[in-house]
Amino acid sequence: MTELQTKENNSRISSIDAARGLVMIVMALDHVRDFMHVASLTQDPTNLQTTTAALFLTRWVTHLCAPTFVFLSGVSAYLFYNSSPGSSRKKFLFSRGLWLMFIDLTVINFALWFDVQLHTVIMEVVFAIGFGLMVISLLLKLPVRAIGLAGILIIFGHNLLQGVSFKNNPVLDFIFAVFFRQSLFTPKPGFAFITAYPLLPWLGVILTGFSFGQIFKLPELVRKKRFLQIAASVFCLFILIRGLNFYGDPLPWSVQKNALFTFLSFINVTKYPPSLLFILLMLSVLFIVLWLAEGKNNPLVKVLRVYGKVPLFYFVLHLYLIHLLTLLMVFVEGHTFTNLKFGLLRNGRPEGTGVDLGTVYLIWIAVVLFLFPICKWYGKYKQKHRGNRILQYL
């Protein structure tokens, strides 16, 4: 989650902020569900053998969030650097990336677990973005097309490594997991490290986003047309590869108990780590969103931009708010402080607690509405103090 200045004629590019704002709103739904849904501690919402269509789609629609954040971080890095190329901006990209990695392992992890001893540490999407920005800062002397080609090769090729394992060499296995595979490691009793967002696949996404930054320098009508063309091409490629059903995702689709669940199987692509098909499908949706938002200044776009202008601020704030609401839910259900369970893989919520899916949606809407005036205030404050070096990192 990064917000670098993206300028066009001295104003921000509205489609970027609107797309980012949309997925930030959707992201809150996923986190409310994950923290508060009655079945979230015991049920995988994408397991077609146990889930419902409503629960599956509630989870599936939020798949759009991480690819959008990572891809647009690459776009923003391109626009930021190329608006005034120089060593100072190169250094800022590197330091910004390092800062995001630190924030992820500390502030964001505490928001997830409320555990001051951090018995559980998880590499989240912000860590992957930070790493990507650092890599971009080291590649700026290369042609933009070369950087983009490297990103595309990673996206299309990393699934070849999905079955590789080094279980007999713990150090090598850990390093491999950090870059290629979601894994849980317990190097000592009472501590776990989770590589939820392996770095290499997401690096492919951010490098590709960096190269696509060139499109945003085209005239508005031209890039709007390009968005639609790219969306159609990427989606058709997804349909072709998914239909062949032999590469691009470790989970093949199959005929299910009815047509709806067969369709859900077809779109049930792997996020951890993001498979080729996951990335193709989600980026095709992203380009549709950009196409719809490009050149628009209607009330909906204005609302979305309020959130999209302050992504890191919103990301951190909404996690703390949802976690606090989770504890409030637990107390309302009759539990006390002594019932809270913190520590290894625990965020305080006892088993058997939670609300139904309908209530999850109501809480989600309340969270988004509550954060709107706060994000609006912070966006104006940040704009007013644009020269503040500290605010550039927040």
Side-chain angles (χ1 to χ4, degrees):
M1 202 95 31
T2 182
E3 181 212 8
L4 303 170
Q5 295 298 321
T6 52
K7 299 291 181 181
E8 183 186 59
N9 299 327
N10 297 320
S11 64
R12 299 177 65 98
I13 298 177
S14 63
S15 59
I16 293 178
D17 284 336
R20 189 186 282 124
L22 174 64
V23 298
M24 287 163 64
I25 291 172
V26 172
M27 174 183 61
L29 171 60
D30 188 46
H31 289 146
V32 172
R33 179 202 59 78
D34 194 35
F35 272 92
M36 305 182 74
H37 185 232
V38 65
S40 63
L41 294 178
T42 58
Q43 182 180 4
D44 177 2
T46 60
N47 183 340
L48 296 179
Q49 305 306 311
T50 59
T51 192
T52 64
L55 182 57
F56 177 95
L57 292 172
T58 298
R59 172 56 176 148
W60 184 89
V61 72
T62 64
H63 282 344
L64 179 62
C65 301
T68 296
F69 289 138
V70 179
F71 187 87
L72 292 182
S73 293
V75 170
S76 296
Y78 173 87
L79 296 172
F80 170 79
Y81 180 75
N82 284 276
S83 64
S84 181
S87 59
S88 63
R89 298 210 162 195
K90 178 180 178 180
K91 291 178 181 177
F92 179 79
L93 284 175
F94 186 90
S95 61
R96 171 73 170 172
L98 192 62
W99 171 248
L100 289 176
M101 295 169 74
F102 172 77
I103 287 290
D104 184 86
L105 295 179
T106 54
V107 176
I108 293 174
N109 263 270
F110 183 75
L112 294 174
W113 307 108
F114 276 6
D115 179 10
V116 292
Q117 294 181 304
L118 289 180
H119 290 93
T120 308
V121 175
I122 181 171
M123 279 172 44
E124 271 281 352
V125 64
V126 175
F127 190 95
I129 292 174
F131 177 78
L133 291 179
M134 292 175 66
V135 173
I136 286 174
S137 73
L138 301 175
L139 299 178
L140 290 173
K141 291 186 177 180
L142 295 177
V144 175
R145 288 188 177 182
I147 295 175
L149 179 60
I152 291 173
L153 288 175
I154 292 172
I155 290 173
F156 276 80
H158 81 272
N159 279 120
L160 294 171
L161 301 171
Q162 64 190 30
V164 176
S165 178
F166 298 93
K167 294 299 183 183
N168 294 327
N169 188 325
V171 175
L172 190 59
D173 191 53
F174 174 76
I175 295 173
F176 186 84
V178 166
F179 284 94
F180 295 99
R181 184 185 72 241
Q182 183 191 41
S183 294
L184 184 149
F185 295 90
T186 53
K188 65 177 183 178
F191 175 77
F193 186 87
I194 306 171
T195 56
Y197 284 77
L199 299 178
L200 190 71
W202 294 108
L203 177 63
V205 176
I206 199 170
L207 293 181
T208 305
F210 183 84
S211 69
F212 270 83
Q214 300 172 98
I215 292 178
F216 288 88
K217 303 190 80 172
L218 298 174
E220 183 181 288
L221 293 178
V222 176
R223 68 174 181 250
K224 185 177 178 70
K225 182 179 179 180
R226 292 283 179 87
F227 291 152
L228 188 59
Q229 291 172 337
I230 294 169
S233 300
V234 174
F235 183 71
C236 288
L237 186 58
F238 164 78
I239 293 293
L240 175 62
I241 299 176
R242 188 59 163 165
L244 294 174
N245 214 23
F246 78 95
Y247 181 72
D249 198 284
L251 183 65
W253 70 275
S254 60
V255 176
Q256 301 291 315
K257 59 186 178 183
N258 56 43
L260 173 58
F261 270 71
T262 298
F263 169 72
L264 297 183
S265 176
F266 193 83
I267 65 172
N268 189 20
V269 284
T270 303
K271 180 181 179 181
Y272 301 107
S275 68
L276 164 63
L277 289 169
F278 174 90
I279 294 170
L280 291 178
L281 180 56
M282 296 305 143
L283 289 187
S284 68
V285 176
L286 168 60
F287 277 103
I288 288 292
V289 173
L290 290 170
W291 173 68
L292 291 172
E294 187 62 60
K296 299 293 196 314
N297 197 32
N298 55 46
L300 176 59
V301 169
K302 289 180 179 179
V303 169
L304 295 177
R305 292 187 68 200
V306 168
Y307 298 103
K309 289 179 180 180
V310 291
L312 183 60
F313 177 81
Y314 173 96
F315 187 82
V316 173
L317 195 60
H318 98 287
L319 283 178
Y320 278 92
L321 175 59
I322 292 170
H323 203 159
L324 288 171
L325 289 174
T326 301
L327 298 184
L328 177 61
M329 173 194 73
V330 170
F331 296 142
V332 169
E333 291 182 349
H335 293 271
T336 64
F337 279 103
T338 58
N339 300 126
L340 300 184
K341 296 185 178 182
F342 296 99
L344 186 64
L345 300 175
R346 300 307 303 261
N347 64 5
R349 177 183 163 190
E351 293 89 347
T353 58
V355 297
D356 60 33
L357 194 59
T359 306
V360 164
Y361 274 85
L362 292 176
I363 296 172
W364 164 57
I365 293 171
V367 166
V368 172
L369 292 177
F370 177 82
L371 291 176
F372 180 81
I374 301 174
C375 290
K376 189 173 184 178
W377 165 81
Y378 182 69
K380 289 181 178 180
Y381 181 84
K382 193 170 182 179
Q383 179 68 18
K384 186 177 180 180
H385 299 84
R386 287 172 53 190
N388 189 311
R389 187 72 172 176
I390 296 176
L391 290 180
Q392 292 179 8
Y393 285 87
L394 301 176

